Amino acid sequence: MFRAALTATLLMSSAAIAFGSLWESPDWAVVGTMGGYVGYDSNLTLVHDGPSAYLVVANPYLTLKRRNSETDFEINGGITETEFADSNLPLETDISLNALYEYPSGTNIIPVYKLSASWLRSSQPNEFLGERVQNDEYTFYGEGYLTLTGKLGIRGNAQFQSYTYDSESLNNSRRGQAFVGLAYERSPETQISANVGA
């Protein structure tokens, strides 16, 4: 009876988010958020008759960002703590960190330069092993535009992604791609390009 009542309460969603500016100057700001919720997962490992648990999750997050500028620059970092109540699974800590640089930035503006990078350490359920496996995900993306004439230019971009698992039973993976091409600017909001890549 207690479990049914608790499940019904959790299904009604219990979530809270606090948001606030921790520090500001004319050009920079540090913003923090604190989120949390409770829930229920009926299969934590994605296998037949896998374990279930009630979840209690807390997620503090910090952002350093540029203000009042044509350049969009920000660094974000956060931690997600997950407690699996009524389960023998240990406390799970996920960490994320990402950064973005873009110039110029704004609505309907195509950036001349854009760089982004991220790192995520998390524990995800793996249906082949029947357990939650910690992994590290790294991503990098960069693009740039070099003007040749008033309307023509060269645009290039590169992307890299890597997954590393804390289990010898799973294969790590890495993937990269790069493209470069001739771009034609029809208007400040529109570009057409022909690219080659690998």
Side-chain angles (χ1 to χ4, degrees), residues 88-160:
N88 60 358
L89 291 176
L91 178 73
E92 196 170 278
T93 302
D94 298 343
I95 305 170
S96 66
L97 182 65
N98 61 73
L100 171 70
Y101 171 81
E102 185 177 59
Y103 174 82
S105 68
T107 307
N108 296 325
I109 295 177
I110 300 172
V112 177
Y113 306 107
K114 182 176 181 179
L115 295 171
S116 65
S118 67
W119 168 62
L120 173 64
R121 170 169 285 176
S122 64
S123 296
Q124 303 295 326
N126 186 280
E127 59 186 304
F128 302 107
L129 299 181
E131 61 187 38
R132 299 177 74 86
V133 180
Q134 189 174 81
N135 65 82
D136 289 287
E137 177 185 353
Y138 299 91
T139 61
F140 170 81
Y141 176 81
E143 71 174 84
Y145 178 74
L146 176 65
T147 302
L148 297 177
T149 67
K151 292 287 187 179
L152 288 177
I154 296 174
R155 179 167 288 279
N157 68 67
Q159 184 174 353
F160 175 78

Side-chain angles (χ1 to χ4, degrees), residues 178-190:
F179 288 86
V180 64
L182 188 63
Y184 172 72
E185 186 177 288
R186 293 182 56 193
S187 69
E189 297 85 18
T190 308

Side-chain angles (χ1 to χ4, degrees), residues 14-92:
S14 176
I17 296 177
F19 176 84
S21 179
L22 304 177
W23 173 80
E24 287 186 16
S25 76
D27 299 323
W28 298 91
V30 176
V31 179
T33 61
M34 179 63 186
Y37 65 89
V38 294
Y40 177 77
D41 192 328
S42 62
N43 192 338
L44 296 168
T45 55
L46 300 181
V47 295
H48 182 66
D49 293 330
S52 61
Y54 294 96
L55 310 177
V56 180
V57 180
N59 176 227
Y61 207 79
L62 282 177
T63 300
L64 168 67
K65 62 191 309 182
R66 181 89 169 140
R67 303 176 61 210
N68 305 318
S69 173
E70 290 185 356
T71 300
D72 185 5
F73 176 77
E74 61 180 59
I75 299 174
N76 305 289
I79 297 174
T80 301
E81 292 274 358
T82 305
E83 173 73 36
F84 301 98
D86 195 25
S87 167
N88 60 358
L89 291 176
L91 178 73
E92 196 170 278

